[in-house]
Amino acid sequence: MKKFDIYEDPHRRFNPLINEWVLVSPHRAKRPWQGQKETVANDERPTYDATCYLCPGNVRANGEVNPKYLSSFVFENDFAALKKEEIEFEESKEATFFKVKPERGISRVICFSPKHNITLPEMDLSTIEEIIRTWQREYTDLGNVDYINYVQIFENKGSVMGCSNPHPHGQIWAQSSIPTQVEKTQNSLKAYFDKNKSNLLIDYLNEELKLKERVVIENNNFVALVPFWAIWPFETMIICKRPITKITDFTLDEIEDYASILKLLTIKYDNLFETSFPYSSGIHQAPTDGELHPEWQFHMHFYPPLLRSATVKKFMVGYEMMGESQRDITAEKSAKMLRDLSDVHYKSK
């Protein structure tokens, strides 16, 4: 009988954050590719675009004029996925197959910079620090609304991720319910905390720091790594080394280190295929439901879709839709590829 080789043989890896498994098939990374290829967007854009509804001084779809902002700028989403209005509704106690309930919330857009032609890896650290402070203010402001129980901060970067405007921006959806993925994470974190009287992600991070195998970047306060259970080819997670539940717990040093690791990680992403690397990223942190959440640990996910080059994308199809998530390149290999890349953006060379 052949001895198991984690780098060559098919196996499943467990994700303790959401209590799910992922199938890893490292031998398939060698297969030839004749599938779908994406068109690479032109990176050459002006600093200011008169047709962009997110640029300073321009008119948005609802007729409002953006101020001539000089740093990050926040506004209520003109096409919000959630509405503030309270709706009268009586839930059916008999419904089995057709359950429904209204969802109340607030959707906002954050323009990261007045410059139309840059993304996070091309911004200076002071600009990224201001974005972090804006996230802190928004988490506090929205979290203090009596019906808001979770504040989801996220960014979709690149047209392949459904981003309709290349101006550097992110979004916040704050809502009355705990979203499904966050609820899965909370249940896992709580079960671990109740059983072990310690923080799942801090314990996991300490084990990763012993091995260093999947660590991409480390500074005094944060670590960027490829999770052992990663699904996307170059998926990463940023975890704070200190036990903190939410972004508003950061010290000044932690804000600086968080900005630094965000910049370095996104530089490495861009350098991987020398393109403006698309991804969806999001912060996971404690709910704003008024409860204490000692089980929570601040962390941030990056889910990039690119697989082999700037034009070859990872798709979730077939087995992944019918069975479970699957990946070919191992977490260890993708971590090494990212770790070995230059810390200097390819456009600056």
Side-chain angles (χ1 to χ4, degrees), residues 29-94:
K30 300 168 186 173
R31 67 184 174 133
W33 181 264
Q34 292 183 316
Q36 170 74 21
K37 292 191 176 182
E38 302 293 332
T39 302
V40 179
N42 179 13
D43 263 357
E44 298 303 317
R45 301 194 306 272
T47 303
Y48 166 78
D49 184 344
T51 67
C52 170
Y53 57 85
L54 296 180
C55 277
N58 289 357
V59 180
R60 300 204 307 277
N62 65 353
E64 290 191 23
V65 179
N66 294 330
K68 295 198 173 179
Y69 61 93
L70 301 176
S71 58
S72 54
F73 163 57
V74 182
F75 63 90
E76 300 278 328
N77 197 318
D78 301 327
F79 300 96
L82 295 159
K83 295 180 179 180
K84 296 178 180 179
E85 292 79 18
E86 188 172 8
I87 295 174
E88 185 178 340
F89 175 76
E90 187 172 337
E91 189 172 357
S92 170
K93 292 189 170 89
E94 278 106 45

Side-chain angles (χ1 to χ4, degrees), residues 17 201 204 223-229 235-239 265 269 299-302:
L17 276 180
L201 272 175
Y204 166 68
V223 177
L225 53 79
V226 177
F228 177 74
W229 53 82
E235 177 181 333
T236 57
M237 181 164 59
I238 295 175
I239 309 173
L265 180 60
Y269 273 149
H299 60 287
M300 184 177 191
H301 295 280
F302 280 81

Side-chain angles (χ1 to χ4, degrees), residues 256-270:
E256 291 176 1
D257 276 359
Y258 185 35
S260 174
I261 210 162
L262 280 171
K263 181 176 175 69
L264 284 175
L265 180 60
T266 51
I267 283 175
K268 286 180 180 291
Y269 273 149
D270 279 12

Side-chain angles (χ1 to χ4, degrees), residues 6 11-14 22 24 204 208 214 225-230 327 331-332:
I6 197 171
H11 59 280
R12 296 170 86 204
R13 298 189 182 193
F14 182 64
V22 55
V24 182
Y204 166 68
E208 286 284 21
R214 286 169 293 272
L225 53 79
V226 177
F228 177 74
W229 53 82
R327 63 180 281 141
E332 295 76 29

Side-chain angles (χ1 to χ4, degrees), residues 166-205:
H167 192 103
H169 72 285
Q171 297 185 59
I172 302 179
W173 293 10
Q175 63 189 96
S176 53
S177 298
I178 308 295
T180 300
Q181 291 302 317
V182 179
E183 187 175 38
K184 285 183 182 180
T185 301
Q186 172 153 316
N187 290 342
S188 296
L189 293 174
K190 182 82 164 56
Y192 185 93
F193 184 85
D194 289 346
K195 179 182 178 182
N196 300 286
K197 308 304 177 192
S198 62
N199 183 304
L200 185 154
L201 272 175
I202 289 292
D203 289 354
Y204 166 68
L205 179 59

Side-chain angles (χ1 to χ4, degrees), residues 101-104 147-151 174-180:
K101 68 168 188 170
E103 186 65 13
R104 192 178 177 196
Y147 62 86
I148 296 297
N149 290 308
Y150 196 77
V151 177
Q175 63 189 96
S176 53
S177 298
I178 308 295
T180 300

